[in-house]
Amino acid sequence: MEKVVVIGLGLIGGSMALSLKQNHSRKIIGIDLNSDHAQQAINLGIVDKIGELTTVSDAAIVIIAVPVDAIPDVAVAVLDLIGTETLVFDVGSVKERVCDRIKDHPKRGNFVAAHPIAGTEYSGPEAAFIGLFKKKRNMICEPEKTHPKLLEKACALFEELEMKTEMMCPLEHDKHIAYVSHLSHISSFMLGKTVLEIEPNEATIFAMAGSGFESTVRLAKSSPAMWAPIFMQNKTNVLKSLEEYIRNLETFKKHIENHEKKEVFRIMEETNRIKNILNGISK
Ligand code: NAP
């Protein structure tokens, strides 16, 4: 049996466990600081057993799927304990901090810094499902620092999850992801906050939510425990993307104030090309 240890049994760790468990020659051991989540993971059949951190010492694969502020410490603790053949990877949404933290670790070659670009607005083991990663992208940072054999093993595993892997340096990863993912979450949270503040009547929000509001505010249902550490860890890039976003909002507001219909129209028409870009991605 191939022993797989999953640390953090929420949406991402739980979905990976469920998917990898389909291969019956694997035994999945789960670890989670939240004892309710550990129990749910057992009840839902996500893992075979709950274990302690020391269980990684004879594991074939260790997956670190905890919030990004906890990943660097957990990564070091795991690398300290594993054998020479163990593959360890994290799934964190910010990559520079963890790569920097483990750069001089004697077992750096056992580690793959990954980010599966897949998720929903839900969290915890109950949100986990098989197929979350299907046809999604996966980013691997600093592949040259992983032992080639273990990198190959990791790529095969992501392929098994039906993901398409791309390589990117951590700095570039964190810069781009701030715009396409982190900013979207802030924008959705702040839209939700604004509507909650100006519209005290929950029934009115509910009645009118069938419009674009529901889809635009979907990400505001996401877990603060997962997202607050991401915004803090990717602070420089997040602030830069926010400044540009606020500048665009101010400009758009001015055009409406000045009744510059042509400009309002032009900006929206130019932005419509996002449709073609996203259609390309979904193919
Ligand atoms: P989640 O559903 O909240 O699950 C994380 C689990 O880890 C929770 O049960 C949490 O317990 C537990 N935990 C926290 N610190 C721990 C520690 N030190 N040791 C063991 N368990 C710990 O989060 P998720 O959405 O799966 O995200 C996990 C990782 O995946 C994050 O690094 C995130 O950046 C990355 N990621 C997320 C998405 C997404 O869309 N959700 C997409 C790609 C990558 P508590 O609930 O008590 O904190």
Side-chain angles (χ1 to χ4, degrees), residues 56-57 73-83 105-107:
V56 301
S57 63
D73 282 351
V74 173
V76 171
V78 168
L79 290 177
D80 285 346
L81 288 166
I82 53 159
H105 196 285
K107 299 209 189 91

Side-chain angles (χ1 to χ4, degrees), residues 189-204:
F189 271 114
M190 290 309 107
L191 172 65
K193 175 177 166 21
T194 308
V195 172
L196 286 173
E197 283 170 0
I198 58 138
E199 185 51 84
N201 188 344
E202 289 180 17
T204 312

Side-chain angles (χ1 to χ4, degrees), residues 8 10-12 32-34 37 65-67 71 91-93 116 118-119 123-124 226:
L11 171 69
I12 302 295
D32 202 297
L33 278 188
N34 183 326
H37 284 176
V66 298
I71 290 177
V91 297
S93 308
S123 58
M226 198 204 100

Side-chain angles (χ1 to χ4, degrees), residues 1 7 24 33-34 41 61 72 79 82 86 127 148 151 163 177 180-181 193 228 230 252 258 261 265:
M1 292 289 266
I7 308 175
H24 296 298
L33 278 188
N34 183 326
I61 299 167
L79 290 177
I82 53 159
T86 308
L151 181 64
M163 302 197 87
I177 208 75
V180 295
S181 169
K193 175 177 166 21
I230 291 176
F252 202 68
N258 300 338
K261 187 179 163 197
F265 187 94

